[in-house]
Amino acid sequence: MASGTALIYDDEMTSYKLLWDDPECDIEVPERLLSSYEQLKHYHLVERCIHVPVREGTEEEIMLVHSSEYLEVVKSTQTMNEEELQRVSENYDAVYFHPNTYRCAKLAVGATLQLVDSVMSGKVRNGMALVRPPGHHSQRNAANGFCVFNNVAIAAQYAKRRYGLQRILIVDWDVHHGQGIQYVFEEDPSVLYYSWHRYEHQQFWPLLRESDYDAVGQGKGKGFNLNVPWNKVGMGNSDYLAAFFHVLLPVAFEFVPELILVSSGYDSGIGDPEGQMNATPECFAHLTHFLMQLANGRLCAVLEGGYHLKSLSESVCMTVKTLLRDPLPQISGEMAPCLSAIESIQNVRGAHKPYWKCLMYEVPPVKTAAAIVSKADAHLLPVSVQVEMEMNAQELKTFVSAFDAELVKEEKALLSLQNVLAVLDKILKKKVCSGIAESSVASVSTTFALKHCFDFGLQRVLCIVVGDMDLELDLDDGKILLMNICQKQQTEKTNSKYYISLNWKEDAERNNFFCAVLGFILPVAYSYQPDLVIIVIGPNRSLGVNGISLLTCLLQGLAESQILVVIQDTEIKLVQSVAKALSGVSTPDFGAYAPASQENVLEIKRLRDQLQQEWKMLRCSVRD
Ligand code: X5A
Ligand code: ZN
């Protein structure tokens, strides 16, 4: 295997600068290169690298990415006066031209290709090119964002041509989206482009919709464009590492690149006025180190942005030091990605799930599905809850007529079934873990839901009804265990093993329902071992939102957490709290603890005495 690290730099690339006042462009200064190179000398890194001279990129090479018309425009700026230069610059977004720009842009291309040749020929293992102007924003017909020729995109096309490469990975860790690179390779599956970038929901330059995570590539190139949009500033070491661990690296190892090109911008580092991010220079050592494990170590880093001179030059040194295989520096900061970063990472993983095996099985499934009557309330649910589309009327009729032809004629009953069956079906087919459904006639819906469960092959369903409800059910065979938590004494029915009526009055503010759940409901439920739990919230309920949430939370220990909650009234606070309980985003508020009333304590004792022979988990005393 080749050894050695190439360093490509020529101070001629410091020979152009901004000649007029432009606050957007005045950060792109020659000192960026000078101070980076000075710092490399200071750490004695220059002498440890193999010096490779620059050359000009040829017109043919430039035209691997750019049009001849655009090349002519850039060429024409060589002989322009300041006024003319300013006028050409205004044709583009965030660009300035200088009489030496064309020469430097050709050197930047040539330096990049020299680096590719050094690595591909085996002269060195890896290397870095310190170049100006940068490249990743420039496009076939346009300069953009300080970039004139797209050094890295040209290098990828060149490597494909000259060395017949079939898989090239471009990692763009500059804080801006390299939209120029994305456009060139959008439909090309042989070049995998990865970019993270400050995005802030499209409020940050270059303000493009196509910088979001759902731009996955087009046509044959689908899956080969990975965008990680940062929606907050202040991303740091742990956020960058998390994006590498959970997005770039798994996909890169599956892709198996033959060469890695890094669009190595350091405006993503701490202190940079453009990026406003927090990654320390050490972070770039770690990023470099991970990439060195791919493509047989064939890695070419090419400078893009980076406008805080100290941060930039330290980060450049960290990169080169790592390429030279020095031991890695300790990485600082609390190792926990922020919520916004996690959200972005989850979104990219979700968007790329269809294209990469490494993501296919791992993206967490939607935990909870909700079908609610008032779609206007959908936004009040936790974001992790998937709101269901209603089944269309014809689908539903077909569905219902499969087990009750009579009901198909009743429009109202049919509609009340809709939400419940849509969600239940998802649970049974394991598309989601749990679900909530609002239904105007909960009793009919529940009867049907239970029938459907047994048709599907379930053995035991625990059905907990809160409130007054009459369910016409056959309870003899033990396929259903029905618990009714109600206000008034059920006189017409007597308790049996599979029908239990629990009289309960809850304090609306404070929660005394713990003792019923722990002392009775859970022991019986665990003795029963259901395959599914259905909680039905009917009218005249004697339990408040707190009690119902507690019940929902604790019953998740059963039936592999498969719980369907059917709610008859459309009280959004209840739906919200149950959604919170099921999705596990946060623990719902159970209310302040209150001791149970004398009445309630006696009711629990009565039931325990009555049923502990049947349900052995109720036993907690040797005397009984
Ligand atoms: C290469 C690079 C940034 C352009 C910012 C314009 N360009 N606001 O970092
Ligand atoms: Zn940048």
Side-chain angles (χ1 to χ4, degrees), residues 234-441:
M235 295 300 169
N237 296 348
S238 53
D239 304 300
Y240 287 3
L241 285 181
F244 261 47
F245 295 157
H246 302 304
V247 179
L248 174 61
L249 294 175
V251 170
F253 277 98
E254 187 172 335
F255 181 62
V256 196
E258 299 159 307
L259 173 67
I260 300 176
L261 303 175
V262 183
S263 264
S264 196
Y266 296 95
D267 41 15
S268 48
I270 190 164
D272 192 279
E274 272 285 308
Q276 308 278 330
M277 298 299 177
N278 270 331
T280 60
E282 294 73 37
C283 189
F284 295 98
H286 290 261
L287 303 183
T288 305
H289 168 77
F290 288 122
L291 297 181
M292 286 166 69
Q293 315 311 314
L294 291 147
N296 244 308
R298 294 199 283 206
L299 187 157
C300 302
V302 182
L303 186 67
E304 299 277 4
Y307 308 100
H308 183 286
L309 298 183
K310 181 74 182 150
S311 179
L312 163 67
S313 47
E314 290 295 340
S315 300
V316 166
C317 290
M318 281 296 171
T319 306
V320 172
K321 225 168 117 55
T322 306
L323 291 176
L324 285 163
R325 320 196 104 226
D326 274 6
L328 293 205
Q330 184 80 256
I331 197 152
S332 61
E334 193 207 347
M335 277 301 128
C338 71
L339 207 70
S340 175
I342 296 169
E343 206 172 88
S344 298
I345 288 167
Q346 187 181 4
N347 286 336
V348 200
R349 286 171 59 99
H352 278 274
K353 202 166 102 155
Y355 313 108
W356 298 98
K357 290 198 196 78
C358 60
L359 303 178
M360 222 162 268
Y361 314 104
E362 279 184 46
V363 180
V366 180
K367 246 195 118 186
T368 306
I372 56 181
V373 170
S374 161
K375 288 282 145 64
D377 291 337
H379 71 281
L380 297 168
L381 299 177
V383 286
S384 59
V385 173
Q386 170 187 313
V387 177
E388 284 310 306
M389 297 303 292
E390 288 162 10
M391 272 188 184
N392 72 43
Q394 195 47 53
E395 256 182 322
L396 186 72
K397 273 185 188 165
T398 320
F399 193 83
V400 173
S401 63
F403 44 93
D404 192 331
E406 281 306 295
L407 200 83
V408 180
K409 294 169 195 152
E410 281 179 61
E411 207 62 31
K412 192 184 166 201
L414 202 57
L415 285 172
S416 87
L417 270 172
Q418 181 163 276
N419 285 338
V420 178
L421 290 181
V423 174
L424 174 64
D425 208 49
K426 288 226 156 189
I427 296 173
L428 293 176
K429 291 183 177 150
K430 302 239 159 113
K431 287 185 181 145
V432 297
C433 182
S434 56
I436 306 162
E438 283 185 355
S439 171
S440 56
V441 190

Side-chain angles (χ1 to χ4, degrees), residues 24 94 134-137 145-147 174 176 205 267 274 304-307:
E24 194 176 11
H136 69 154
H137 296 303
F146 319 152
C147 300
D174 186 283
H176 300 96
W205 191 89
D267 41 15
E274 272 285 308
E304 299 277 4
Y307 308 100

Side-chain angles (χ1 to χ4, degrees), residues 177-234:
H177 181 215
Q179 86 278 37
I181 303 182
Q182 174 170 310
Y183 298 155
V184 173
F185 300 108
E186 230 156 11
E187 297 188 37
D188 186 345
S190 68
V191 177
L192 174 57
Y193 176 64
Y194 170 92
S195 173
W196 62 37
H197 34 268
R198 180 172 169 190
Y199 185 62
E200 295 177 295
H201 304 283
Q202 213 185 317
Q203 295 305 296
F204 189 69
W205 191 89
L207 310 163
L208 300 170
R209 175 64 184 85
E210 61 266 34
S211 306
D212 213 348
Y213 63 85
D214 56 352
V216 296
Q218 292 183 9
K220 282 199 165 87
K222 272 200 169 148
F224 297 91
N225 193 84
L226 288 159
N227 283 337
V228 181
W230 299 128
N231 287 315
K232 288 219 158 74
V233 295

Side-chain angles (χ1 to χ4, degrees), residues 465-483:
V465 175
V466 180
D468 298 338
M469 192 171 300
D470 253 325
L471 291 174
E472 291 303 320
L473 296 170
D474 175 13
L475 297 169
D476 295 335
D477 57 4
K479 288 178 114 182
I480 302 168
L481 168 54
L482 182 65
M483 282 196 215

Side-chain angles (χ1 to χ4, degrees), residues 534-546:
I534 302 181
I535 301 173
V536 190
I537 316 293
N540 299 323
R541 57 185 166 82
S542 59
L543 271 188
V545 171
N546 295 341

